[in-house]
Amino acid sequence: MSVQERKQRERADRERLIVATARELAEQQGWDAVTTRRLAERIEYSQPVLYSHFRGKREIIGAVALEGAAEMASAVRAAASAADGPRTRVTALARTYLEFAERNPAVYDAMFRLDGGLAFAHEDTPEPLKDAFAALLESLGEVAGDGVHPALFTEVFWAALHGLATLTRAGRLPPQETGRRVELLVDRLAAL
């Protein structure tokens, strides 16, 4: 291995460590607790080393969001592929999405609530975000209904899931009714 390859590998390892540490700290104490000073202390590197990877907290949030989008896409695809039939696939997708949001609140915030400097629904949208939407579209497109554009239906269904996730987490909706809400959403929105 060349010196250049070793340095690139070490840099990538440091970057993964920064993102993992930020994510862990945010999940434990919230995003307000994630500061460059605190991250530098936890990873045992100086703040200038941290800044050589990320210009600040906004970029770190963006990196966590991209990682979360890849994880969510993988989870949604796995749940949908294990289900038999369109209704079961859409129900599995919805439950998996809501479970992801519940299990990873700081990551979910990085993806959809906080400013990570990422463009959504644009030409320059990062690939992990496009792929997360594609993971939803793969199952939802087939149940959009006649005359309904699959991507538009996916956006509406995604918005409904996001609303359920956000309102449940905020204590505005009782969590014990989540299953019934998913069933209602699937029954009323999807053309099955």
Side-chain angles (χ1 to χ4, degrees), residues 96-178:
T96 300
Y97 182 98
L98 294 172
E99 288 166 3
F100 179 88
E102 182 182 358
R103 278 192 325 272
N104 304 284
V107 173
Y108 193 82
D109 284 349
M111 292 168 64
F112 300 121
R113 193 178 67 78
L114 302 174
D115 179 11
L118 304 173
F120 282 80
H122 292 282
E123 293 265 335
D124 60 341
T125 298
E127 206 51 49
L129 298 179
K130 289 179 183 178
D131 188 53
F133 184 78
L136 297 174
L137 180 62
E138 289 162 13
S139 291
L140 295 172
E142 71 179 318
V143 298
D146 293 337
V148 178
H149 192 280
L152 182 62
F153 177 78
T154 300
E155 290 171 352
V156 171
F157 201 93
W158 170 31
L161 289 174
H162 176 71
L164 289 174
T166 303
L167 291 170
T168 301
R169 181 170 157 205
R172 306 300 193 271
L173 297 175
Q176 65 272 18
E177 297 294 328
T178 298

